[in-house]
Amino acid sequence: QIQAPIMDFTRPAYWGQKLMCKRTLWSSCTWTVTKQGEEFPLDRVLARIKTIEEIKTQLTEQKQAALSIAEFKVASCSQSGSGEAFFKSYFYTPRKQWVDVQELRFSRDQGAVKVEALSFSAGLLPASTPLAPLLNVIFFWVPFSDWSQN
């Protein structure tokens, strides 16, 4: 788990896919969330997110139960005074520690909150591999399957 933040920072699988115009190892979407008749309670939502301590499974299209088991870690959660917020988490596969990164960006938009979500595989090699961040950068171009985890 020490190498995951470096793999997140360099993001070789993500930018490698962007360079090759592919979208098999990452996914993104945007939601607009409202609370009818009231201002959306972003402060309360973030307070709840910060208290998440454990998520035991990832939602996945895979039928193999072992692929949905994950170790979860909140990497960061912050809020600015301007009504913007950011949340990042890591999911690790239990044995080999492959890393998936999830990011949520919250911003106020006329009484609603816009949530931009991004999820991606951090690299070809798992975080348990010695020198994984460096090797993942070197091998960014090698295609691999993330088993529809993102």
Side-chain angles (χ1 to χ4, degrees), residues 6-147:
I6 300 167
M7 292 165 61
D8 169 29
F9 179 75
T10 58
R11 302 176 178 209
Y14 177 66
W15 57 258
Q17 288 242 309
K18 294 277 260 186
L19 287 173
M20 294 182 270
C21 299
K22 292 187 177 186
R23 194 175 177 144
T24 59
L25 302 175
W26 64 279
S27 183
S28 66
C29 60
T30 302
W31 303 291
T32 301
V33 184
T34 60
K35 185 166 183 182
Q36 203 161 7
E38 297 179 38
E39 186 174 346
F40 185 82
L42 181 57
D43 297 342
R44 287 190 310 201
V45 170
L46 288 174
R48 289 289 212 154
I49 288 174
K50 285 180 184 179
T51 64
I52 298 171
E53 293 179 10
E54 182 177 49
I55 296 176
K56 293 186 179 187
T57 59
Q58 295 187 78
L59 294 177
T60 179
E61 296 173 5
Q62 289 296 315
K63 303 292 184 224
Q64 298 173 347
L67 292 175
S68 67
I69 297 170
E71 295 175 20
F72 168 80
K73 181 181 180 198
V74 174
S76 65
C77 188
S78 61
Q79 185 174 4
S80 71
S82 62
E84 296 193 1
F86 179 76
F87 174 81
K88 180 185 293 191
S89 64
Y90 300 142
F91 276 99
Y92 300 91
T93 60
R95 288 186 316 148
K96 296 190 178 174
Q97 302 286 292
W98 267 285
V99 180
D100 289 337
V101 179
Q102 297 76 40
E103 296 179 346
L104 299 174
R105 293 183 190 279
F106 301 86
S107 58
R108 292 211 180 272
D109 186 23
Q110 300 175 351
V113 171
K114 184 168 89 173
V115 182
E116 297 172 79
L118 172 66
S119 177
F120 59 91
S121 294
L124 170 67
L125 299 172
S128 62
T129 304
L131 301 174
L134 175 64
L135 295 171
N136 280 327
V137 168
I138 292 169
F139 295 113
F140 78 92
W141 53 272
V142 175
F144 66 95
S145 174
D146 71 352
W147 302 96

